[in-house]
Amino acid sequence: MRGKEFIEYDNPFDVGMTGLLGFSSGYHAMMNCDVLLMLGTDFPYQQFFPKDATIVQIDLRGEQLGRRTKVDYGFIGDTKTTLRSLLPKLEQNQDDAHLRRSLEHYRKARKGLDEMATGKSGKKPIHPQYVTRVVDQLASEDAIFTCDVGTPTIWAARISR
């Protein structure tokens, strides 16, 4: 979730988060990928890793490589330098079927989440997702949100942008 503000904001390739804080579209995209690239993450949810994908992990901390799931290619280094070294060795793939399916799944999942976060005048009880959305909209751009564990964290991850 720490990268959410940098990756999701205005990203046309955003397909949603996965793991316990995520939702169906992120899970679907990850479970159906051919290659999973993990950049400096210690993603702890083993049940959310794809079973048949090639997994590439880049991390400054070598002890993190393969800690949570099998890794086909592990690289110790900072992300920017390592990716710059690897990019010339990759071939461009023009097949965007997985991306298109994942974006469509995200659009539908996001619509459902957004509907839960929409208030209805005079309707009670007020959904906590709606309260989360209103707080997010009213906050200044440089506001920093913190939340406890559990459901409030899920609302913050899924609803705030």
Side-chain angles (χ1 to χ4, degrees):
M1 191 163 127
R2 291 183 295 181
K4 179 178 171 61
E5 68 182 298
F6 304 105
I7 294 174
E8 286 187 1
Y9 175 74
D10 213 17
N11 180 354
F13 303 112
D14 177 17
V15 296
M17 293 173 58
T18 190
L20 295 180
L21 301 179
F23 46 97
S24 64
S25 61
Y27 178 82
H28 178 271
M30 203 151 132
M31 286 299 151
N32 292 294
C33 71
D34 294 327
V35 176
L36 174 63
L37 175 60
M38 300 191 320
L39 304 173
T41 183
D42 190 24
F43 186 73
Y45 310 113
Q46 294 178 353
Q47 68 272 33
F48 291 94
F49 282 103
K51 305 292 183 254
D52 299 318
T54 299
I55 299 179
V56 180
Q57 185 175 4
I58 300 172
D59 204 302
L60 279 171
R61 305 158 298 166
E63 69 274 9
Q64 298 300 98
L65 299 180
R67 181 172 170 218
R68 307 289 189 174
T69 189
K70 72 161 180 80
V71 173
D72 297 288
Y73 301 96
F75 299 95
I76 300 171
D78 73 89
T79 302
K80 188 175 185 179
T81 304
T82 306
L83 285 175
R84 278 197 176 135
S85 297
L86 292 174
L87 276 174
K89 300 176 184 316
L90 300 177
E91 290 181 31
Q92 180 75 33
N93 182 341
Q94 300 300 322
D95 182 2
D96 67 349
H98 176 67
L99 175 62
R100 284 185 286 112
R101 282 191 305 272
S102 297
L103 288 170
E104 178 60 20
H105 194 183
Y106 174 69
R107 187 188 63 74
K108 290 177 183 175
R110 182 82 255 166
K111 183 177 185 281
L113 289 172
D114 290 345
E115 286 171 0
M116 287 193 316
T118 302
K120 308 262 191 292
S121 181
K123 184 171 181 186
K124 293 186 181 181
I126 298 172
H127 284 276
Q129 295 92 330
Y130 174 64
V131 174
T132 303
R133 169 68 47 86
V134 170
V135 169
D136 184 51
Q137 290 171 340
L138 293 175
S140 64
E141 271 200 41
D142 61 351
I144 298 173
F145 294 97
T146 62
C147 46
D148 199 355
V149 297
T151 307
T153 304
I154 294 170
W155 297 329
R158 293 180 181 178
I159 295 167
S160 63
R161 292 187 185 202

